[in-house]
Amino acid sequence: IKKEIVDKGEKFVEVKVIGRQFFWTFRYPGKDGKFGTSDDFDLGNALVVPENHYVFVKLTSGDTLHSLFIPNVRIKYDAIPGRETHLWFKPTKTGVYEIACAELCGDMHYRMKAYLVVLSEKDYKKWIEEAPYEVSVLKDFEEKFAKK
């Protein structure tokens, strides 16, 4: 589907997601839009995306089986060590939504909670321009961006 979206000129963003005991890392390509460059940055437990854009995710695990579960966008995919799974979704409403691990991944599994933060296109552009961030929880995100 990515090729079709690119060929049509539709808007999209890419994010790498790594499940680890017991948190999610969301890796962004930075201002240049390319992974593997010096402006790449990671967010812990906060997936920030623009409204009405396709979001292409490269999902993996750094340790054991995890399952990325974002019920508000109807996503549930397994994160497997050594394997990269490709998935996509298109959020259509701004807001903050829960992300969970739906695979029992160890004794602290219950703490694997993250948030999907859907911003307007204007707010997302402002947010990405001010990157990189060092954010570990939604509270940090709200203090550094949402309440400005």
Side-chain angles (χ1 to χ4, degrees), residues 83 95 109 118-119 141:
R83 181 179 292 174
H109 163 74
V118 182
L119 301 175
F141 176 83

Side-chain angles (χ1 to χ4, degrees), residues 40-88:
D40 292 3
F41 66 97
D42 292 351
L43 294 183
N45 295 323
L47 172 57
V48 182
V49 298
E51 176 185 35
N52 294 317
H53 285 54
Y54 287 90
V55 179
F56 294 106
V57 174
K58 294 179 181 180
L59 174 66
T60 192
S61 170
D63 47 32
T64 189
L65 289 178
H66 298 283
S67 186
L68 181 70
F69 182 42
I70 314 173
N72 292 81
V73 292
R74 298 177 185 209
I75 291 292
K76 184 179 174 292
Y77 279 89
D78 288 344
I80 303 166
R83 181 179 292 174
E84 190 173 80
T85 302
H86 296 243
L87 58 122
W88 65 273

Side-chain angles (χ1 to χ4, degrees), residues 103-123:
E103 183 72 39
L104 185 57
C105 58
D107 59 354
M108 301 283 279
H109 163 74
Y110 70 93
R111 295 187 64 192
M112 245 185 117
K113 183 177 181 181
Y115 296 93
L116 169 66
V117 181
V118 182
L119 301 175
S120 68
E121 183 175 4
K122 178 183 171 187
D123 287 344

